[in-house]
Amino acid sequence: MTTRHVLAGLDGSPQSETAAMWAAAEAQRLGAPLRLLHVWPWLNGENADRAEPGDLRPAALDALARVADRIRLAHPELSVETAVRPDDPVDGLVAEARGQEMLVLGSRGLGGFAGLLVGSVSLAVAARATVPTVLVREAGPLPRASTAAVGDVVVGMDSGEPGEAVLEFAFAEAERRGAGLRAVHGWDPAPAWAFGGVMPPPVDIPGQEGTKAALLSQHLTRQLANYPGVAVVEDVRLGGGAKALLDASAGAELVVIGRRERRHHIGMLLGPVAHAVLHHSTVPVAVVPHL
Protein backbone atom coordinates (compact mmCIF):
# COMPACT_ATOMS: atom_id res chain seq x y z
CA MET A 1 0.00 0.00 0.00
CA THR A 2 1.34 3.45 -0.93
CA THR A 3 2.22 5.62 2.05
CA ARG A 4 0.33 8.90 2.21
CA HIS A 5 2.47 11.87 3.27
CA VAL A 6 1.80 15.31 4.60
CA LEU A 7 3.54 17.38 1.92
CA ALA A 8 5.05 20.81 2.66
CA GLY A 9 6.22 23.07 -0.16
CA LEU A 10 9.26 25.19 0.66
CA ASP A 11 10.91 28.08 -1.16
CA GLY A 12 13.43 29.28 1.42
CA SER A 13 11.20 32.07 2.76
CA PRO A 14 10.30 32.40 6.47
CA GLN A 15 6.64 31.89 5.56
CA SER A 16 7.28 28.52 3.95
CA GLU A 17 9.44 27.41 6.90
CA THR A 18 6.60 28.29 9.28
CA ALA A 19 4.29 26.24 7.07
CA ALA A 20 6.71 23.30 7.26
CA MET A 21 6.68 23.41 11.07
CA TRP A 22 2.87 23.52 11.00
CA ALA A 23 2.89 20.53 8.63
CA ALA A 24 5.22 18.62 10.98
CA ALA A 25 2.81 18.98 13.90
CA GLU A 26 -0.07 17.93 11.64
CA ALA A 27 1.85 14.88 10.39
CA GLN A 28 2.55 13.85 13.98
CA ARG A 29 -1.15 14.04 14.82
CA LEU A 30 -2.03 12.01 11.74
CA GLY A 31 0.72 9.44 12.29
CA ALA A 32 1.89 10.13 8.73
CA PRO A 33 5.40 10.82 7.37
CA LEU A 34 6.33 14.36 6.32
CA ARG A 35 7.86 15.23 2.96
CA LEU A 36 9.54 18.59 2.38
CA LEU A 37 9.50 19.57 -1.28
CA HIS A 38 11.05 22.31 -3.39
CA VAL A 39 9.82 22.74 -6.97
CA TRP A 40 11.53 24.97 -9.53
CA PRO A 41 12.33 24.56 -13.25
CA TRP A 42 16.09 25.17 -12.99
CA LEU A 43 17.03 22.05 -11.07
CA ASN A 44 19.18 19.19 -12.32
CA GLY A 45 17.74 15.68 -12.26
CA GLU A 46 17.96 13.54 -9.14
CA ASN A 47 20.99 11.63 -10.52
CA ALA A 48 23.04 14.63 -11.68
CA ASP A 49 26.74 14.10 -10.90
CA ARG A 50 27.56 17.77 -10.43
CA ALA A 51 25.92 21.17 -10.42
CA GLU A 52 25.86 23.19 -13.63
CA PRO A 53 26.02 26.99 -13.88
CA GLY A 54 22.70 28.43 -12.75
CA ASP A 55 21.59 25.15 -11.17
CA LEU A 56 19.72 25.76 -7.91
CA ARG A 57 19.47 22.13 -6.80
CA PRO A 58 22.39 22.16 -4.30
CA ALA A 59 21.05 25.29 -2.60
CA ALA A 60 17.54 23.82 -2.50
CA LEU A 61 18.76 20.53 -0.97
CA ASP A 62 20.83 22.38 1.64
CA ALA A 63 17.88 24.55 2.61
CA LEU A 64 15.55 21.55 2.85
CA ALA A 65 18.10 19.69 5.00
CA ARG A 66 18.32 22.60 7.46
CA VAL A 67 14.55 22.72 7.87
CA ALA A 68 14.38 18.92 8.19
CA ASP A 69 16.98 19.03 10.98
CA ARG A 70 14.93 21.62 12.88
CA ILE A 71 11.82 19.49 12.54
CA ARG A 72 13.59 16.32 13.71
CA LEU A 73 14.76 18.14 16.84
CA ALA A 74 11.19 19.20 17.62
CA HIS A 75 9.60 15.89 16.56
CA PRO A 76 12.25 13.15 16.94
CA GLU A 77 9.75 10.36 16.31
CA LEU A 78 8.52 11.85 13.00
CA SER A 79 9.71 10.45 9.67
CA VAL A 80 10.92 13.38 7.53
CA GLU A 81 11.89 13.15 3.85
CA THR A 82 13.19 15.82 1.47
CA ALA A 83 12.82 16.05 -2.30
CA VAL A 84 13.28 18.45 -5.19
CA ARG A 85 11.41 18.46 -8.49
CA PRO A 86 12.44 20.34 -11.66
CA ASP A 87 9.07 21.64 -12.81
CA ASP A 88 6.79 24.64 -12.94
CA PRO A 89 5.95 25.42 -9.27
CA VAL A 90 2.18 25.17 -9.66
CA ASP A 91 2.19 22.08 -11.90
CA GLY A 92 4.84 20.35 -9.79
CA LEU A 93 3.18 20.95 -6.43
CA VAL A 94 -0.24 19.87 -7.75
CA ALA A 95 1.26 16.71 -9.26
CA GLU A 96 3.25 15.78 -6.13
CA ALA A 97 0.22 16.31 -3.91
CA ARG A 98 -1.99 13.76 -5.68
CA GLY A 99 -2.80 10.87 -3.38
CA GLN A 100 -1.20 12.48 -0.30
CA GLU A 101 -2.88 13.37 2.99
CA MET A 102 -2.62 17.12 2.41
CA LEU A 103 -0.44 19.88 1.04
CA VAL A 104 0.80 22.73 3.25
CA LEU A 105 2.14 26.02 1.87
CA GLY A 106 3.22 29.41 3.16
CA SER A 107 0.51 31.86 2.16
CA ARG A 108 2.73 34.90 1.55
CA GLY A 109 6.10 33.74 0.21
CA LEU A 110 8.14 36.89 -0.54
CA GLY A 111 11.03 35.57 -2.58
CA GLY A 112 13.18 32.87 -1.06
CA PHE A 113 15.40 31.20 -3.60
CA ALA A 114 13.96 32.05 -7.02
CA GLY A 115 10.70 33.52 -5.72
CA LEU A 116 8.68 30.32 -5.31
CA LEU A 117 5.28 30.43 -3.64
CA VAL A 118 4.46 34.08 -4.10
CA GLY A 119 0.79 34.76 -3.50
CA SER A 120 -0.28 33.96 -7.06
CA VAL A 121 1.42 30.55 -6.94
CA SER A 122 -0.08 29.46 -3.62
CA LEU A 123 -3.54 30.62 -4.74
CA ALA A 124 -3.19 28.74 -8.03
CA VAL A 125 -2.14 25.56 -6.22
CA ALA A 126 -5.04 25.83 -3.76
CA ALA A 127 -7.39 26.21 -6.74
CA ARG A 128 -6.13 23.08 -8.50
CA ALA A 129 -4.87 20.60 -5.88
CA THR A 130 -6.89 17.40 -5.53
CA VAL A 131 -6.16 17.11 -1.78
CA PRO A 132 -6.82 19.50 1.12
CA THR A 133 -4.39 22.41 0.87
CA VAL A 134 -3.51 24.45 3.95
CA LEU A 135 -2.12 27.97 3.61
CA VAL A 136 -0.22 29.15 6.69
CA ARG A 137 0.80 32.72 7.46
CA GLU A 138 4.11 33.34 9.18
CA ALA A 139 2.39 35.23 12.00
CA GLY A 140 -0.41 32.67 12.38
CA PRO A 141 -0.70 30.44 15.46
CA LEU A 142 1.08 27.11 15.30
CA PRO A 143 -0.98 24.03 16.26
CA ARG A 144 -0.42 22.64 19.74
CA ALA A 145 0.96 19.13 20.19
CA SER A 146 -1.29 18.31 23.17
CA THR A 147 -5.05 17.86 23.29
CA ALA A 148 -5.57 20.51 25.96
CA ALA A 149 -8.17 23.25 25.51
CA VAL A 150 -7.49 24.98 22.19
CA GLY A 151 -9.19 27.37 19.79
CA ASP A 152 -12.03 26.20 17.60
CA VAL A 153 -11.84 24.78 14.13
CA VAL A 154 -14.08 27.06 12.06
CA VAL A 155 -15.77 25.68 8.93
CA GLY A 156 -17.61 27.79 6.39
CA MET A 157 -20.85 26.22 5.21
CA ASP A 158 -23.37 26.70 2.46
CA SER A 159 -26.60 25.61 4.12
CA GLY A 160 -27.91 24.29 0.78
CA GLU A 161 -24.83 22.40 -0.46
CA PRO A 162 -22.27 22.18 2.34
CA GLY A 163 -19.94 19.59 0.78
CA GLU A 164 -19.66 16.44 2.87
CA ALA A 165 -15.89 16.16 2.27
CA VAL A 166 -15.43 19.65 3.73
CA LEU A 167 -17.44 18.80 6.83
CA GLU A 168 -15.68 15.47 7.32
CA PHE A 169 -12.27 17.15 7.11
CA ALA A 170 -13.30 19.83 9.62
CA PHE A 171 -14.73 17.32 12.09
CA ALA A 172 -11.60 15.13 11.86
CA GLU A 173 -9.33 18.14 12.45
CA ALA A 174 -11.35 19.21 15.49
CA GLU A 175 -11.27 15.68 16.92
CA ARG A 176 -7.49 15.36 16.50
CA ARG A 177 -6.96 18.67 18.27
CA GLY A 178 -9.48 18.10 21.05
CA ALA A 179 -11.09 21.32 19.81
CA GLY A 180 -14.63 22.49 19.27
CA LEU A 181 -16.10 22.98 15.81
CA ARG A 182 -17.84 26.23 14.85
CA ALA A 183 -19.95 25.85 11.70
CA VAL A 184 -20.50 29.29 10.16
CA HIS A 185 -23.03 30.29 7.53
CA GLY A 186 -23.10 33.96 6.56
CA TRP A 187 -25.89 35.28 4.38
CA ASP A 188 -27.42 38.47 3.04
CA PRO A 189 -31.07 38.88 2.00
CA ALA A 190 -31.47 39.71 -1.67
CA PRO A 191 -32.00 43.46 -2.21
CA ALA A 192 -35.15 44.82 -3.79
CA TRP A 193 -35.03 47.44 -6.53
CA ALA A 194 -37.43 50.35 -6.87
CA PHE A 195 -37.62 53.68 -8.73
CA GLY A 196 -35.64 55.39 -5.98
CA GLY A 197 -32.87 52.77 -5.92
CA VAL A 198 -32.18 49.82 -3.62
CA MET A 199 -34.89 49.17 -1.04
CA PRO A 200 -34.70 47.03 2.12
CA PRO A 201 -35.57 43.44 1.19
CA PRO A 202 -39.23 42.62 1.88
CA VAL A 203 -38.42 39.32 3.57
CA ASP A 204 -38.92 37.73 6.95
CA ILE A 205 -35.30 37.81 8.15
CA PRO A 206 -35.88 35.87 11.39
CA GLY A 207 -37.86 33.27 9.47
CA GLN A 208 -35.20 32.85 6.79
CA GLU A 209 -32.47 32.67 9.40
CA GLY A 210 -34.40 29.94 11.20
CA THR A 211 -34.75 27.97 7.96
CA LYS A 212 -31.04 28.24 7.23
CA ALA A 213 -30.18 27.21 10.79
CA ALA A 214 -32.40 24.12 10.48
CA LEU A 215 -30.65 23.09 7.23
CA LEU A 216 -27.26 23.66 8.83
CA SER A 217 -28.20 21.51 11.81
CA GLN A 218 -29.43 18.73 9.52
CA HIS A 219 -26.12 18.54 7.66
CA LEU A 220 -24.10 18.62 10.88
CA THR A 221 -26.13 15.83 12.47
CA ARG A 222 -24.94 13.35 9.85
CA GLN A 223 -21.29 13.98 10.76
CA LEU A 224 -21.91 14.12 14.51
CA ALA A 225 -22.74 10.43 14.44
CA ASN A 226 -19.15 9.73 13.37
CA TYR A 227 -17.56 12.29 15.71
CA PRO A 228 -19.66 12.22 18.90
CA GLY A 229 -16.89 13.76 21.00
CA VAL A 230 -16.71 17.00 19.01
CA ALA A 231 -18.62 19.92 20.53
CA VAL A 232 -20.36 21.86 17.74
CA VAL A 233 -21.56 25.46 17.69
CA GLU A 234 -23.95 26.42 14.89
CA ASP A 235 -23.37 30.02 13.81
CA VAL A 236 -25.78 31.59 11.30
CA ARG A 237 -25.34 35.33 10.88
CA LEU A 238 -26.08 38.21 8.54
CA GLY A 239 -23.22 39.87 6.72
CA GLY A 240 -22.12 37.54 3.93
CA GLY A 241 -19.95 34.44 3.91
CA ALA A 242 -16.48 36.01 3.91
CA LYS A 243 -17.17 38.53 6.67
CA ALA A 244 -18.89 35.89 8.79
CA LEU A 245 -15.93 33.52 8.52
CA LEU A 246 -13.30 36.19 9.17
CA ASP A 247 -15.21 37.52 12.20
CA ALA A 248 -15.71 34.01 13.60
CA SER A 249 -12.10 32.92 13.07
CA ALA A 250 -10.45 35.25 15.59
CA GLY A 251 -8.45 32.97 17.90
CA ALA A 252 -9.28 29.84 15.88
CA GLU A 253 -6.85 26.98 15.28
CA LEU A 254 -7.89 26.51 11.67
CA VAL A 255 -10.42 27.78 9.14
CA VAL A 256 -11.82 25.22 6.69
CA ILE A 257 -13.44 26.23 3.41
CA GLY A 258 -14.61 24.23 0.41
CA ARG A 259 -13.72 24.42 -3.27
CA ARG A 260 -15.87 22.72 -5.86
CA GLU A 261 -13.83 20.50 -8.17
CA ARG A 262 -14.04 21.38 -11.88
CA ARG A 263 -12.93 19.41 -14.94
CA HIS A 264 -11.29 22.40 -16.63
CA HIS A 265 -9.11 25.30 -15.51
CA ILE A 266 -10.95 28.08 -17.33
CA GLY A 267 -12.31 30.97 -15.30
CA MET A 268 -12.31 31.44 -11.55
CA LEU A 269 -11.57 28.23 -9.64
CA LEU A 270 -11.74 29.80 -6.19
CA GLY A 271 -14.95 31.66 -5.37
CA PRO A 272 -15.06 35.19 -3.94
CA VAL A 273 -15.53 33.96 -0.37
CA ALA A 274 -12.48 31.69 -0.61
CA HIS A 275 -10.40 34.49 -2.11
CA ALA A 276 -11.36 36.92 0.63
CA VAL A 277 -10.68 34.44 3.43
CA LEU A 278 -7.31 33.39 1.98
CA HIS A 279 -6.21 36.99 1.60
CA HIS A 280 -7.36 38.26 4.99
CA SER A 281 -7.39 35.38 7.48
CA THR A 282 -4.71 35.61 10.17
CA VAL A 283 -4.94 31.88 10.97
CA PRO A 284 -4.21 28.83 8.76
CA VAL A 285 -6.84 28.15 6.11
CA ALA A 286 -7.56 24.69 4.66
CA VAL A 287 -9.09 24.56 1.17
CA VAL A 288 -10.87 21.22 0.71
CA PRO A 289 -11.93 20.12 -2.80
CA HIS A 290 -15.35 18.52 -3.08
CA LEU A 291 -17.83 17.42 -5.74
Side-chain angles (χ1 to χ4, degrees), residues 84-200:
V84 296
R85 177 177 175 127
D87 202 347
D88 171 80
V90 175
D91 292 341
L93 287 166
V94 170
E96 290 283 345
R98 291 191 185 101
Q100 306 302 334
E101 288 285 351
M102 69 177 62
L103 173 62
V104 183
L105 306 173
S107 67
R108 291 296 297 173
L110 299 177
F113 35 88
L116 179 61
L117 292 184
V118 294
S120 60
V121 170
S122 55
L123 284 175
V125 173
R128 287 178 48 191
T130 56
V131 300
T133 302
V134 183
L135 273 62
V136 181
R137 287 191 184 276
E138 185 183 9
L142 293 178
R144 299 170 176 84
S146 71
T147 57
V150 296
D152 286 343
V153 170
V154 175
V155 58
M157 290 186 62
D158 180 335
S159 62
E161 298 180 56
E164 292 302 320
V166 182
L167 275 180
E168 184 174 358
F169 180 89
F171 268 94
E173 287 293 320
E175 183 179 67
R176 281 193 288 270
R177 287 169 166 75
L181 180 70
R182 179 173 291 272
V184 179
H185 174 67
W187 69 289
D188 280 318
W193 294 87
F195 180 77
V198 179
M199 302 288 290

Side-chain angles (χ1 to χ4, degrees), residues 6-250:
V6 172
L7 185 66
L10 282 98
D11 69 339
S13 69
Q15 291 80 9
S16 69
E17 291 188 17
T18 297
M21 299 302 292
W22 192 99
E26 183 72 6
Q28 182 172 324
R29 273 192 298 270
L30 282 164
L34 174 68
R35 177 177 293 162
L36 306 179
L37 175 70
H38 174 63
V39 181
W40 193 247
W42 300 327
L43 300 171
N44 279 345
E46 292 287 347
N47 298 318
D49 293 329
R50 64 179 183 274
E52 297 177 357
D55 177 32
L56 298 176
R57 185 170 180 266
L61 289 171
D62 287 345
L64 290 175
R66 287 195 296 272
V67 177
D69 287 344
R70 286 179 53 205
I71 289 172
R72 292 186 182 106
L73 283 174
H75 304 278
E77 71 285 2
L78 182 64
S79 172
V80 183
E81 305 172 9
T82 61
V84 296
R85 177 177 175 127
D87 202 347
D88 171 80
V90 175
D91 292 341
L93 287 166
V94 170
E96 290 283 345
R98 291 191 185 101
Q100 306 302 334
E101 288 285 351
M102 69 177 62
L103 173 62
V104 183
L105 306 173
S107 67
R108 291 296 297 173
L110 299 177
F113 35 88
L116 179 61
L117 292 184
V118 294
S120 60
V121 170
S122 55
L123 284 175
V125 173
R128 287 178 48 191
T130 56
V131 300
T133 302
V134 183
L135 273 62
V136 181
R137 287 191 184 276
E138 185 183 9
L142 293 178
R144 299 170 176 84
S146 71
T147 57
V150 296
D152 286 343
V153 170
V154 175
V155 58
M157 290 186 62
D158 180 335
S159 62
E161 298 180 56
E164 292 302 320
V166 182
L167 275 180
E168 184 174 358
F169 180 89
F171 268 94
E173 287 293 320
E175 183 179 67
R176 281 193 288 270
R177 287 169 166 75
L181 180 70
R182 179 173 291 272
V184 179
H185 174 67
W187 69 289
D188 280 318
W193 294 87
F195 180 77
V198 179
M199 302 288 290
V203 296
D204 176 11
I205 290 179
Q208 282 202 14
E209 193 164 87
T211 299
K212 292 177 181 294
L215 286 172
L216 191 70
S217 181
Q218 179 181 341
H219 293 303
L220 290 168
T221 298
R222 290 200 291 267
Q223 290 294 336
L224 273 170
N226 299 323
Y227 300 94
V230 175
V232 177
V233 174
E234 299 172 17
D235 189 342
V236 177
R237 59 176 78 186
L238 284 170
K243 184 178 186 304
L245 274 173
L246 291 169
D247 288 347
S249 66

